[in-house]
Structure formats: structure tokens, C-alpha cells
Amino acid sequence: MDESLLKQLTSSQRQAVCHRDGPLLVLAGPGSGKTRVITYRIASLIESGVSPHNICAITFTNKAAEEMRQRAASLGASGGAYISTFHSLCVRVLRRYADAAGIGANFSIYDDADQTRCVKQAISECNLDSSAFVPGRMLEAISTLKNKLVDPEAFKERAVDYFSQALVKVYARYQKILADRNGVDFDDLLMKVALLLENDATVCREMAERFRYLLIDEYQDTNHAQYRLAMAIAVHHRNICATGDPDQSIYRWRGADIRNILAFEKDWPEAVTIRLEENFRSTAPILRAADRLIACNRNRKAKSLIPTRTHEGRISVLCHADEAAEADAVGREVRSLLASGVSGRQIAVFYRINSMSRALEEAFIRHRTPYQVVRGVEFYCRKEIRDILAYLKVLVNPADEIALLRIINTPARGIGKVTIERVQEYAVANGMPLFDGLRNAGGIPNLGDSVKTKLQDFARMMEAFAGQSNGQVAPLMEKVYTATGLEGSFKAAGLEGQASRENIEELISTAALYDKQTENPSLVDYLQQIALFSDADAYDSAGEKVALMTLHAAKGLEFDHVFIIGLEHGILPHERANNSPEELEEERRLFFVGMTRAKTNLYISYAQYRTVRGQFLRTIPSQFLYELGPGLMQEPLDHDDRPAARSHGVEPLRRPVPLQKPQPESRPAPYSPGQVVRHKTFGLGTVKKFVDMGANSVVTISFNSGQTKSLLLQYANLTKV
């Protein structure tokens, strides 16, 4: 590899980059340049004569894969190398080898809501009570079995108790429903490919010959299905490079198995192991505390965090009276940082569970601080978005009955429930998909001529759309939006439909961006990208807003200033870790991941009281606070009932001070207290307060329904009464 590039690497990084053949384990601590090593390694392999076509690099999020592609491109090493997520790779394999996998190549990928509908149907068809066999619990159990590559027949042999025997029936029926609709869930993507590679020698050999060099990032987060998939490919050439850190394995709850990385050297006895211990991200105080914390875990591979930054920083621990005081203190400190010239994009607040964002959001609104809550998949869960995407799904896969039932009378076109049931009965009786039943509506008895015409018109409209589904997505989406009547229905709804129209327009904009950035855009590929979209992909690093997110969502990110709240027993560590050493170690790893996102300053806090499930309860400080090392653990509130603080490196956080009322603005506010307004969802209400923040202005309204809401003015769509 070019010497000028190698000089940019540390000694351990160079060893990993220049390793050519045979298994390689790179134990990469946080902030150690892991992504750089992977991309430089791709470039090194290509320079040594390996065809880019024979390189496959796998990571866990679309955002990480895109970053890797961009870095590889900057080295001139991206052309032909396949860089993607596990799920994207599996979609590609299943589309290519659909017949061998026993599935149609135009399959739909079912999201959580679709899966829930299917499992509810399965429970009902098995004559089971959904209150006793809760759909969410059944889906969780099915997911666990799929991650272990256990199909219904294999599980049947283990089912000895009543719940397991019921689960066998539901699992089998659930899979039958998916198959009938040519659909797969996220776990199927992995399971079907892993089993295909193990059971079809021809497919496995072709995959191994195509991807002669397999690089897997975040190996500690692989589940059993991903592990088996990787082994099936790599066993033919043994050119597998696993990069990861057991100390950052935080997804056990969704199937990740830390044993995969801990046993790598046993699986591949000739493996070369290289440790990346130099940390280029965090200051020394943060790394010292993180090192002490994670050393309490037993399931790990020992390594150190060696700081390379000389910049001074601090780690502070602060105790508060309750969650409101904690959120207000964070809000004031963030405001102070912003006032000192720090960019909002360099500040983040982490918490263990999503519900903890509420107090923070209220505090940030009071302090006039722009923020973003990183929960991106919610956009795709909105009704109008799901409606138009359902139209597009049917164009790709007419057998997708869930999507078809969603749109057949959306917007209303005079096709009622009884009509739909008769079409379903006709389709089942004649052994045809529901869409074919619509096309053949003329032959369905007990339907009036006008209804038959409506059904056939709908089918013809969808077939016309399908004939235009090759090529760019945005023009087709716009045509579907207008021709189906969706746009007209939103316009007819007046102000109540305005937000829906804006959301659809935003979706069309994302489709146009996809068309622009993709060499060969296609509806199948676009829907696939949306289906595999995750919260981690939603973080917008380009804006100036402070990020609020869970500790799990923070994986892979970094910020100059990080706040971690709620260090209390039952929250962090989570209450489920009470009787499980493995769960406790994972909670400690989760805290470790959060700590090591901080580059300069780390603020940790806990409260003496917190509202939990509606009850105001006394808390117990997290044991993790005591594991950070001497001099950091916080004393309780002092004698005047104000939080005491200790800080390592610089002065502690300021004590809480009374909130200051916003200063009056020189220009008149658009809304004033007492103003009666109407909201499309909440109805009539009275303005209680208006906080002028320019584009991020907030209006607080007491609605006649009894609810009080603080709304962003630009999205509230209020009407003065």
C-alpha cells in the first residue's frame, strides 16, 4: 500500500490493514479508528491484486455502511467492493436465488406493524385467546427461534409445555400466512439465507467464490444466524476479518451473542489477533473512568484505553432532587454551552428508556433550545405514509394482502367491509390471491354490478401503475398520490389534511433524492431501503440541534459534550438485570458505550426521586457510579436540599437556580395568553404561553378536552377562533 497512506496509521492499525490472507480478529476499542482500518484494508487488498468484486464488507446500519463507502471512495477503493448491512446482503441473495430459497423474487419485507397483524391472524386461526397468548410475546418468541435457525418442525420436538405447544401452532401458521403473501420479516432475511447457504452447496460455493474476502464490522453484535451465515461463506477460503469489541456488545435482547467474538480464535485457530487500544476520541479522565467501569465485567477480552488527546476535559457526576430538576440542570448547562459558542450538533443527551425524554423536552422548550429526538422510524409509521407505501408495495408484490387490504378503500371509494369479505371468500374458494379476486370480480356472486365495477376499476388502476414501476420512484409516487385520490382527500379535509399533505411531500422529496443518488433506481430497491431503515439512520448530524436519544441509539456516534441521565438502580442498570449476571454485564457495557461517545466533557446525573409508572419514588444510586473510581461518586443532597456535585478535571456543574422568565420580545407575538385556537386533532383550546424561538417557537395550549400540549408552532397548524 502507498507509504504516504500507511504513515497515517498507528503500528497496530498498519498490521491489521496489511494482513492479506487467513482469518484476522481486530479487537478495536472505542475511538480507535476501526472504520479507518476497514476502509484502508479494502484499499490494501485491492492494491495487492484482489479484485474489488471479491470483497464484501458488512456492518450493522445503513449510516455506517454509507460512511464506509464514502471513506473507501476517497481512497479510490470503492468500485466493485460490496459494502452493506447484513440485512441488505440477505435481500440481495434472496432476490437472486429466490427459487432456491422457495420464495418469489418480488417478496415484501414486513415491518413490525405488519408482523403484528399476521401473528394476530395466526393466533385467531389457531383458536387461541390473544389475551393469554399476547401477540407481542409470541412474535418475540418466534424471533428468538428464527435467530437460532429453528423452524416450526424442529421446535415441535422440543415443545413439551402448554405454551410451547401453542407457540408451535402459531409459529407454523404465521409462516404460512407470510408465505401466502410472499412476505418475509426481518428475521426471515437472515434465517432463509443462512439455511440456504448451509443446505445448497451450489449457492454457497457461488457466494464464497464471489466474496473471497469477508470483512465483518461490529462482530460482537452478530446473532447466531449471522454467525452461521458468515461461517458458511468464509469456511471455503478462510479469509474472514472480524472487527469489534466485546466491551461494546449491547444487543443481547435482540439476539446478539457475545460468544461469537469471544470464541473467534477457537473457531479459527490460525487467526491473527490485533488490538487497537489507542483512543483518538476521548480525553484521559473519561477513558480512565470507562476503563475502571468495564474492568468489572468478566466476559471480555482484556485491553486498555490509551488516550492520545492532550486536550483537557472533565467528567462530572451530579445528584438532583427529581427528574424535573435533573432535566432543568441539563437544559441550563446545554444553554450555557451554546452561549459559549459550542455547536448544537456537538451536544447529546443519552437515557436508558425512551420515556425519559419527556422531562428533557419540556426543559429544552423552556430554555429555548432547539433539539431533535432520534426516533426516525416514527415518520414511516404515520398513517398517510403507510397508506402510500402500501400502494407501492402492491405494485411490486400483488400477493401482499396486508398492503392490499389497507388501500382497497383508502381513500373511500365505496368498497365496504362486507364486499371485501366476499372477495376474500371467493379468492380462497378458487385458490387465487386476493388481487386476482379483484380482477375477476365480475364472477363473484352476491355483488351488485356497481360494486363489481369499482373492484375491477381499482385492479385496472393498480395494473396501470405497475406498468410504470420501472425506473425513477418519485414520478411514480406522485402519480399514485394524485390518481388514487389520496391528494384530493387530504385537500378536502382542509386544515386537518394539511399535515398529511406535508408528510407525503416530504416522502416524495426523499424519493427524488434517492433517484438522484442511485445509479439504477427501482421501486423494489427503494422499498427495501425504507424497510431496513433504523433509528440510528435517522440522526441528522448536519443541523444545529442538540440530540436526545437512548444509549442504544448512540452506538457509533460521537459528541464533544455528552450528558447521561438516570444513573439509578432499576433504570441503569435496568430492572431486568436484577437476577441475571449476564444482563448486568450488558447494562455495564451499555453505560460504557455511552461514556465513550464523549470526546471532551461527560456529565453523569441521577435523581433522589423519580416518577415511575405514575408513582413518585425514592431511588437508589446505580452501582455503576461507584465503579467509576474514587473521587467521582456523588454525595446525596446537602443540608439546604440542593444538589451537591463533584467533578474530575474542572469545576462541577452549577447548582440549580430559579428559572428566569423569558424577556419580552420587541416584536408582537403571533399568539398571546387567552387566545382561543383550534387544532386539527385536539380541537378547541386556550393559549397559555407563547415562547418565541424564531423557526422553533413553541405555543402551550390548554385544550377543552382537558389536555395541555406544548407544540412547535411551525407544525401546529392552528386556527385563531
PDB file of all heavy atoms in Angstrom, residues 24-42:
ATOM      1  N   LEU A  24      -8.551 -13.003  10.579  1.00  0.00           N
ATOM      2  CA  LEU A  24      -7.990 -11.877  11.324  1.00  0.00           C
ATOM      3  C   LEU A  24      -9.038 -11.359  12.302  1.00  0.00           C
ATOM      4  O   LEU A  24     -10.176 -11.112  11.923  1.00  0.00           O
ATOM      5  CB  LEU A  24      -7.585 -10.754  10.362  1.00  0.00           C
ATOM      6  CG  LEU A  24      -7.154  -9.421  10.983  1.00  0.00           C
ATOM      7  CD1 LEU A  24      -5.854  -9.581  11.762  1.00  0.00           C
ATOM      8  CD2 LEU A  24      -7.007  -8.348   9.901  1.00  0.00           C
ATOM      9  N   LEU A  25      -8.650 -11.211  13.558  1.00  0.00           N
ATOM     10  CA  LEU A  25      -9.518 -10.625  14.579  1.00  0.00           C
ATOM     11  C   LEU A  25      -8.921  -9.293  15.002  1.00  0.00           C
ATOM     12  O   LEU A  25      -7.790  -9.239  15.491  1.00  0.00           O
ATOM     13  CB  LEU A  25      -9.645 -11.553  15.798  1.00  0.00           C
ATOM     14  CG  LEU A  25     -10.430 -10.995  16.993  1.00  0.00           C
ATOM     15  CD1 LEU A  25     -11.880 -10.710  16.618  1.00  0.00           C
ATOM     16  CD2 LEU A  25     -10.371 -11.966  18.186  1.00  0.00           C
ATOM     17  N   VAL A  26      -9.682  -8.220  14.815  1.00  0.00           N
ATOM     18  CA  VAL A  26      -9.239  -6.889  15.224  1.00  0.00           C
ATOM     19  C   VAL A  26     -10.096  -6.454  16.407  1.00  0.00           C
ATOM     20  O   VAL A  26     -11.295  -6.175  16.253  1.00  0.00           O
ATOM     21  CB  VAL A  26      -9.371  -5.869  14.072  1.00  0.00           C
ATOM     22  CG1 VAL A  26      -8.895  -4.491  14.534  1.00  0.00           C
ATOM     23  CG2 VAL A  26      -8.580  -6.331  12.858  1.00  0.00           C
ATOM     24  N   LEU A  27      -9.495  -6.462  17.594  1.00  0.00           N
ATOM     25  CA  LEU A  27     -10.189  -6.018  18.791  1.00  0.00           C
ATOM     26  C   LEU A  27     -10.016  -4.508  18.891  1.00  0.00           C
ATOM     27  O   LEU A  27      -8.951  -4.014  19.253  1.00  0.00           O
ATOM     28  CB  LEU A  27      -9.618  -6.715  20.028  1.00  0.00           C
ATOM     29  CG  LEU A  27      -9.871  -8.223  20.097  1.00  0.00           C
ATOM     30  CD1 LEU A  27      -9.116  -8.844  21.261  1.00  0.00           C
ATOM     31  CD2 LEU A  27     -11.368  -8.508  20.222  1.00  0.00           C
ATOM     32  N   ALA A  28     -11.061  -3.798  18.540  1.00  0.00           N
ATOM     33  CA  ALA A  28     -10.976  -2.339  18.387  1.00  0.00           C
ATOM     34  C   ALA A  28     -11.753  -1.644  19.490  1.00  0.00           C
ATOM     35  O   ALA A  28     -12.991  -1.694  19.519  1.00  0.00           O
ATOM     36  CB  ALA A  28     -11.517  -1.928  17.017  1.00  0.00           C
ATOM     37  N   GLY A  29     -11.037  -1.018  20.406  1.00  0.00           N
ATOM     38  CA  GLY A  29     -11.677  -0.242  21.451  1.00  0.00           C
ATOM     39  C   GLY A  29     -12.391   0.961  20.884  1.00  0.00           C
ATOM     40  O   GLY A  29     -12.201   1.333  19.719  1.00  0.00           O
ATOM     41  N   PRO A  30     -13.233   1.625  21.674  1.00  0.00           N
ATOM     42  CA  PRO A  30     -13.956   2.799  21.172  1.00  0.00           C
ATOM     43  C   PRO A  30     -12.991   3.904  20.770  1.00  0.00           C
ATOM     44  O   PRO A  30     -11.970   4.134  21.416  1.00  0.00           O
ATOM     45  CB  PRO A  30     -14.813   3.225  22.371  1.00  0.00           C
ATOM     46  CG  PRO A  30     -14.140   2.621  23.564  1.00  0.00           C
ATOM     47  CD  PRO A  30     -13.527   1.348  23.092  1.00  0.00           C
ATOM     48  N   GLY A  31     -13.312   4.556  19.648  1.00  0.00           N
ATOM     49  CA  GLY A  31     -12.499   5.675  19.194  1.00  0.00           C
ATOM     50  C   GLY A  31     -11.107   5.304  18.732  1.00  0.00           C
ATOM     51  O   GLY A  31     -10.216   6.149  18.683  1.00  0.00           O
ATOM     52  N   SER A  32     -10.917   4.040  18.328  1.00  0.00           N
ATOM     53  CA  SER A  32      -9.580   3.563  17.969  1.00  0.00           C
ATOM     54  C   SER A  32      -9.322   3.555  16.464  1.00  0.00           C
ATOM     55  O   SER A  32      -8.329   3.011  16.007  1.00  0.00           O
ATOM     56  CB  SER A  32      -9.358   2.160  18.541  1.00  0.00           C
ATOM     57  OG  SER A  32     -10.289   1.239  17.996  1.00  0.00           O
ATOM     58  N   GLY A  33     -10.235   4.117  15.673  1.00  0.00           N
ATOM     59  CA  GLY A  33     -10.031   4.164  14.224  1.00  0.00           C
ATOM     60  C   GLY A  33     -10.429   2.901  13.505  1.00  0.00           C
ATOM     61  O   GLY A  33      -9.849   2.549  12.475  1.00  0.00           O
ATOM     62  N   LYS A  34     -11.465   2.234  14.015  1.00  0.00           N
ATOM     63  CA  LYS A  34     -11.902   0.959  13.449  1.00  0.00           C
ATOM     64  C   LYS A  34     -12.349   1.092  11.992  1.00  0.00           C
ATOM     65  O   LYS A  34     -11.958   0.288  11.139  1.00  0.00           O
ATOM     66  CB  LYS A  34     -13.042   0.407  14.311  1.00  0.00           C
ATOM     67  CG  LYS A  34     -13.763  -0.794  13.761  1.00  0.00           C
ATOM     68  CD  LYS A  34     -14.715  -1.345  14.786  1.00  0.00           C
ATOM     69  CE  LYS A  34     -15.749  -0.356  15.224  1.00  0.00           C
ATOM     70  NZ  LYS A  34     -16.745  -0.033  14.172  1.00  0.00           N
ATOM     71  N   THR A  35     -13.180   2.111  11.704  1.00  0.00           N
ATOM     72  CA  THR A  35     -13.665   2.293  10.334  1.00  0.00           C
ATOM     73  C   THR A  35     -12.513   2.605   9.394  1.00  0.00           C
ATOM     74  O   THR A  35     -12.484   2.146   8.243  1.00  0.00           O
ATOM     75  CB  THR A  35     -14.724   3.409  10.286  1.00  0.00           C
ATOM     76  OG1 THR A  35     -15.788   3.090  11.188  1.00  0.00           O
ATOM     77  CG2 THR A  35     -15.294   3.558   8.886  1.00  0.00           C
ATOM     78  N   ARG A  36     -11.557   3.382   9.866  1.00  0.00           N
ATOM     79  CA  ARG A  36     -10.381   3.681   9.044  1.00  0.00           C
ATOM     80  C   ARG A  36      -9.641   2.402   8.699  1.00  0.00           C
ATOM     81  O   ARG A  36      -9.213   2.201   7.550  1.00  0.00           O
ATOM     82  CB  ARG A  36      -9.450   4.644   9.785  1.00  0.00           C
ATOM     83  CG  ARG A  36      -8.078   4.747   9.145  1.00  0.00           C
ATOM     84  CD  ARG A  36      -7.214   5.784   9.824  1.00  0.00           C
ATOM     85  NE  ARG A  36      -7.596   7.119   9.388  1.00  0.00           N
ATOM     86  CZ  ARG A  36      -6.768   8.171   9.432  1.00  0.00           C
ATOM     87  NH1 ARG A  36      -5.559   8.047   9.922  1.00  0.00           N
ATOM     88  NH2 ARG A  36      -7.169   9.337   9.008  1.00  0.00           N
ATOM     89  N   VAL A  37      -9.481   1.506   9.671  1.00  0.00           N
ATOM     90  CA  VAL A  37      -8.774   0.253   9.426  1.00  0.00           C
ATOM     91  C   VAL A  37      -9.495  -0.572   8.361  1.00  0.00           C
ATOM     92  O   VAL A  37      -8.869  -1.123   7.448  1.00  0.00           O
ATOM     93  CB  VAL A  37      -8.633  -0.551  10.735  1.00  0.00           C
ATOM     94  CG1 VAL A  37      -8.233  -2.003  10.443  1.00  0.00           C
ATOM     95  CG2 VAL A  37      -7.593   0.096  11.651  1.00  0.00           C
ATOM     96  N   ILE A  38     -10.827  -0.648   8.446  1.00  0.00           N
ATOM     97  CA  ILE A  38     -11.583  -1.451   7.477  1.00  0.00           C
ATOM     98  C   ILE A  38     -11.446  -0.879   6.071  1.00  0.00           C
ATOM     99  O   ILE A  38     -11.186  -1.609   5.103  1.00  0.00           O
ATOM    100  CB  ILE A  38     -13.062  -1.536   7.893  1.00  0.00           C
ATOM    101  CG1 ILE A  38     -13.196  -2.270   9.226  1.00  0.00           C
ATOM    102  CG2 ILE A  38     -13.885  -2.244   6.816  1.00  0.00           C
ATOM    103  CD1 ILE A  38     -14.595  -2.243   9.811  1.00  0.00           C
ATOM    104  N   THR A  39     -11.624   0.437   5.932  1.00  0.00           N
ATOM    105  CA  THR A  39     -11.554   1.038   4.599  1.00  0.00           C
ATOM    106  C   THR A  39     -10.134   0.986   4.032  1.00  0.00           C
ATOM    107  O   THR A  39      -9.950   0.723   2.837  1.00  0.00           O
ATOM    108  CB  THR A  39     -12.062   2.483   4.634  1.00  0.00           C
ATOM    109  OG1 THR A  39     -11.379   3.215   5.660  1.00  0.00           O
ATOM    110  CG2 THR A  39     -13.548   2.530   4.912  1.00  0.00           C
ATOM    111  N   TYR A  40      -9.126   1.223   4.873  1.00  0.00           N
ATOM    112  CA  TYR A  40      -7.746   1.117   4.401  1.00  0.00           C
ATOM    113  C   TYR A  40      -7.423  -0.330   4.047  1.00  0.00           C
ATOM    114  O   TYR A  40      -6.661  -0.598   3.114  1.00  0.00           O
ATOM    115  CB  TYR A  40      -6.772   1.625   5.470  1.00  0.00           C
ATOM    116  CG  TYR A  40      -6.525   3.117   5.427  1.00  0.00           C
ATOM    117  CD1 TYR A  40      -7.585   4.015   5.539  1.00  0.00           C
ATOM    118  CD2 TYR A  40      -5.240   3.635   5.287  1.00  0.00           C
ATOM    119  CE1 TYR A  40      -7.376   5.383   5.518  1.00  0.00           C
ATOM    120  CE2 TYR A  40      -5.017   5.008   5.258  1.00  0.00           C
ATOM    121  CZ  TYR A  40      -6.093   5.872   5.369  1.00  0.00           C
ATOM    122  OH  TYR A  40      -5.874   7.222   5.336  1.00  0.00           O
ATOM    123  N   ARG A  41      -8.007  -1.258   4.783  1.00  0.00           N
ATOM    124  CA  ARG A  41      -7.768  -2.678   4.471  1.00  0.00           C
ATOM    125  C   ARG A  41      -8.365  -3.040   3.111  1.00  0.00           C
ATOM    126  O   ARG A  41      -7.756  -3.787   2.336  1.00  0.00           O
ATOM    127  CB  ARG A  41      -8.354  -3.557   5.578  1.00  0.00           C
ATOM    128  CG  ARG A  41      -8.199  -5.050   5.324  1.00  0.00           C
ATOM    129  CD  ARG A  41      -8.431  -5.866   6.570  1.00  0.00           C
ATOM    130  NE  ARG A  41      -8.594  -7.269   6.254  1.00  0.00           N
ATOM    131  CZ  ARG A  41      -7.616  -8.075   5.863  1.00  0.00           C
ATOM    132  NH1 ARG A  41      -6.383  -7.612   5.762  1.00  0.00           N
ATOM    133  NH2 ARG A  41      -7.846  -9.341   5.581  1.00  0.00           N
ATOM    134  N   ILE A  42      -9.545  -2.511   2.795  1.00  0.00           N
ATOM    135  CA  ILE A  42     -10.126  -2.733   1.471  1.00  0.00           C
ATOM    136  C   ILE A  42      -9.187  -2.201   0.398  1.00  0.00           C
ATOM    137  O   ILE A  42      -8.904  -2.875  -0.603  1.00  0.00           O
ATOM    138  CB  ILE A  42     -11.510  -2.048   1.373  1.00  0.00           C
ATOM    139  CG1 ILE A  42     -12.522  -2.742   2.302  1.00  0.00           C
ATOM    140  CG2 ILE A  42     -12.025  -2.076  -0.067  1.00  0.00           C
ATOM    141  CD1 ILE A  42     -13.853  -2.013   2.408  1.00  0.00           C
TER     142      ILE A  42
END
